[in-house]
Amino acid sequence: MLGENLYQRRRSVPVKVGSVTIGGDAPIVVQSMTNTDTADADATVRQIQQLAAAGSELVRVTVNNEAAASQVGIIRERLDDLGCRVPIIGDFHYNGHQLLTKFPDCAAALAKYRINPGNVGFGRKKDTQFQTMIEKAIEYNKPVRIGVNWGSLDQELLTQMMDDNAKSDNPHDAEDVMREALIVSALSSAARAEEIGLPHDHIVLSCKVSGVQKLITVYRDLAGRCDYPLHLGLTEAGMGSKGIVASTAAMAVLLQEGIGDTIRVSLTPEPGGDRSREVIVAQEMLQTMGLRSFTPLVTACPGCGRTTSTVFQELANNIQAYIRSQMPIWREKYNGVENMTLAVMGCVVNGPGESKHADIGISLPGTGEAPSAPVFIDGKKVMTLRGENIAEEFREIVDDYVKSRYAERETA
C-alpha cells in the first residue's frame, strides 16, 4: 500500500548498560570507541568527552594491559567530576581474565565488558579464561557483549566445522561454513555464559565482518536464531566516503528490516581527523531513515548553473555547523528541538517550495535573481533578508524560533 510504513523492530530482550538500555523498546543506541592509549588518562578523558558531546551514548575503550586497566577507574572518576556520565565499555582480548581479576577498580568502573570468543584464550585455557571473565561480570553485575569477528574467529571451532562439512554427503561452500561458524561461536558462547550464571538479559551479541553483503546475510540469520540485542557494524568500514557508504549500505538494509539495537560506524580517521565523525555518521544514518532524531538537519540544494555564487553553500555549511555547536546546550534545555527542520536553498526554482516545507527555510538569490532572500517560518513567508549579514541574521532567527517553539525542560 502506497505510503505504508513497513518498518517493524525485531523483538529483543532489553539489556541495561549503565544508564542506557540496549534492545527491547529502547531507541537504537549510537556508540563509538576511543583510539587513544587508555593508559593516558588525560587524552582518553578528553576524547570520551568529545565523543559524548557529539552524541555517542556509549563509549568503548581498549583495556589491553595493566597500564590501561589501572587507569580505567581514574578515567571514570574524572568523567564523573566533569559531569560526563556516558557509560564506558571495556574491550578485552587475550588477557581480560587477568586484568579484571587484578584490577577490581577497572572491573567495577566499566559499564559493560566486550569479550571476543576467538581471542579469549587458546587450547585448554580458553574455557577457564572465558569462565573467569563471565564470573567477573556476574560478580560486578555487568552485561557482556560477546563480539565475534571474521578476522579473529575461533580457529578450533572453524577447523572442526570445516572437517565436518568435508565429510558431509552434501558439503556447503567454505564461505557458508565460515559464516555459520561466526553465528555458532556467538550463540554457543552466550549459552555457556548463561550456564555459568550470567543472566539472559545481560548479553549482547555481534558477528562482525567487513563485507556489506556478508554482514547482511550473517545478521539476518543471527536475528532469526536468538532474542539477544544485536550490535551492528562492519568490523573495518574503511576511510572517508568509502567507509561511510559501506557502513550505510550494510546497516541501512538491516535496520530497515528491524535488525539492530545498537550501532557503531567504524571509520578509519584521516590523519589528524576528528574521531567524532563516526558518531555523526551513525546519527545521520538513523535520522535520515526516520528511526531517531538527534539534531536538526539542514536540507540544501546541490547547486547548478543557476547558482554560480557560493553564498548558499557557505550559509548551509555555516548553519549546519552552528546547529551542531548549539545542540549540546539546546538538548539539555529544550524538548523536541532535535526534530526541527531547516532548508537553505540556492535559487527560485525549488527554493520557496522547499523552504515552506521546512520549519525554517531561506531561499537565496540565484544567478540573475533579485538580491533578496525570503525567509519562511512554519510554511509562511515572514521576512526578506538582504545585505552582507544574512548568515548572522538567519542564525538569530533560528535562535528565536527555538526559544519560542520548544518548551524548556524542567530542572530539578
Side-chain angles (χ1 to χ4, degrees):
M1 182 177 180
L2 187 63
E4 184 180 2
N5 185 352
L6 300 178
Y7 175 77
Q8 185 174 357
R9 182 89 169 269
R10 164 185 170 270
R11 293 180 65 84
S12 62
V13 174
V15 174
K16 291 286 291 182
V17 182
S19 59
V20 175
T21 299
I22 299 176
D25 295 326
I28 297 166
V29 174
V30 171
Q31 61 176 279
S32 55
M33 184 175 184
T34 60
N35 61 355
T36 57
D37 181 353
T38 308
D40 185 343
D42 291 339
T44 303
V45 166
R46 283 195 300 271
Q47 191 170 82
I48 291 173
Q49 280 187 292
Q50 291 167 357
L51 292 168
S56 186
E57 294 157 303
L58 300 170
V59 177
R60 184 158 41 115
V61 300
T62 296
V63 188
N64 58 328
N65 53 38
E66 293 190 1
S70 69
Q71 295 301 302
V72 170
I74 294 169
I75 290 167
R76 179 71 272 169
E77 288 179 6
R78 291 187 185 176
L79 289 169
D80 289 342
D81 290 343
L82 293 166
C84 182
R85 308 297 181 186
V86 65
I88 303 174
I89 300 164
D91 195 66
F92 294 97
H93 298 271
Y94 308 112
N95 57 356
H97 61 292
Q98 295 172 337
L99 298 176
L100 287 170
T101 301
K102 186 171 182 177
F103 295 91
D105 287 351
C106 171
L110 294 169
K112 184 175 71 165
Y113 309 156
R114 184 281 173 107
I115 301 175
N116 182 343
N119 288 341
V120 76
F122 304 99
R124 288 175 296 177
K125 295 181 178 179
K126 179 175 66 175
D127 291 342
T128 57
Q129 291 175 186
F130 179 81
Q131 180 167 336
T132 297
M133 295 187 73
I134 297 301
E135 287 173 346
K136 289 301 173 184
I138 296 168
E139 178 182 348
Y140 292 97
N141 193 28
K142 305 296 182 180
V144 167
R145 171 161 71 96
I146 295 173
V148 183
N149 273 5
W150 187 270
S152 53
L153 186 55
D154 184 333
Q155 291 303 299
E156 280 187 42
L157 173 65
L158 179 59
T159 299
Q160 181 62 55
M161 291 182 66
M162 285 290 189
D163 288 345
D164 291 344
N165 182 63
K167 297 173 185 175
S168 171
D169 293 336
N170 297 296
H172 296 283
D173 182 87
E175 187 170 298
D176 291 339
V177 177
M178 286 189 72
R179 192 162 53 239
E180 177 66 9
L182 281 167
I183 296 170
V184 169
S185 179
L187 293 177
S188 62
S189 296
R192 177 60 184 143
E194 290 196 52
E195 287 175 6
I196 295 167
L198 189 67
H200 188 76
D201 65 356
H202 277 50
I203 299 172
V204 178
L205 296 186
S206 66
C207 287
K208 288 190 173 184
V209 299
S210 295
V212 170
Q213 295 296 343
K214 292 182 177 68
L215 191 84
I216 293 169
T217 303
V218 166
Y219 271 89
R220 280 175 174 165
D221 198 349
L222 179 63
R225 293 160 69 173
C226 70
D227 65 353
Y228 298 113
L230 301 182
H231 169 123
L232 290 190
L234 292 171
T235 186
E236 287 99 16
M239 182 179 287
S241 60
K242 185 269 179 185
I244 294 171
V245 171
S247 293
T248 304
M251 285 192 271
V253 171
L254 292 166
L255 290 167
Q256 182 59 30
E257 294 177 4
I259 298 169
D261 301 285
T262 179
I263 67 172
R264 189 220 169 174
V265 177
S266 300
L267 293 182
T268 303
E270 297 178 7
D274 187 351
R275 187 68 166 178
S276 61
R277 189 183 186 197
E278 66 177 44
V279 178
I280 294 170
V281 171
Q283 288 179 330
E284 291 182 349
M285 184 193 308
L286 293 175
Q287 187 153 349
T288 54
M289 292 183 69
L291 302 180
R292 282 194 70 180
S293 293
F294 296 94
T295 188
L297 297 180
V298 177
T299 297
C301 67
C304 66
R306 290 176 175 269
T307 56
T308 53
S309 167
T310 61
V311 173
F312 88 93
Q313 298 166 327
E314 293 164 358
L315 180 58
N317 185 63
N318 183 302
I319 291 300
Q320 185 73 75
Y322 178 69
I323 288 169
R324 285 207 172 275
S325 71
Q326 290 297 105
M327 270 309 291
I329 301 169
W330 288 348
R331 191 183 295 117
E332 295 295 323
K333 194 171 183 181
Y334 299 106
N335 280 306
V337 67
E338 65 275 6
N339 297 305
M340 181 172 63
T341 59
L342 299 97
V344 178
M345 303 302 293
C347 78
V348 74
V349 173
N350 291 321
E354 286 282 359
S355 297
K356 289 177 183 177
H357 291 316
D359 293 325
I360 307 174
I362 185 169
S363 181
L364 295 165
T367 304
E369 294 176 18
S372 61
V375 175
F376 299 82
I377 296 179
D378 294 331
K380 297 179 181 179
K381 181 180 174 181
V382 295
M383 67 187 75
T384 300
L385 302 182
R386 296 181 175 86
E388 298 180 355
N389 297 316
I390 287 178
E392 291 79 4
E393 293 174 15
F394 192 64
R395 282 203 304 266
E396 290 179 6
I397 293 168
V398 172
D399 279 332
D400 290 341
Y401 185 84
V402 169
K403 292 173 185 175
S404 63
R405 170 73 181 275
Y406 299 100
E408 291 198 27
R409 296 184 186 275
E410 294 183 3
T411 55

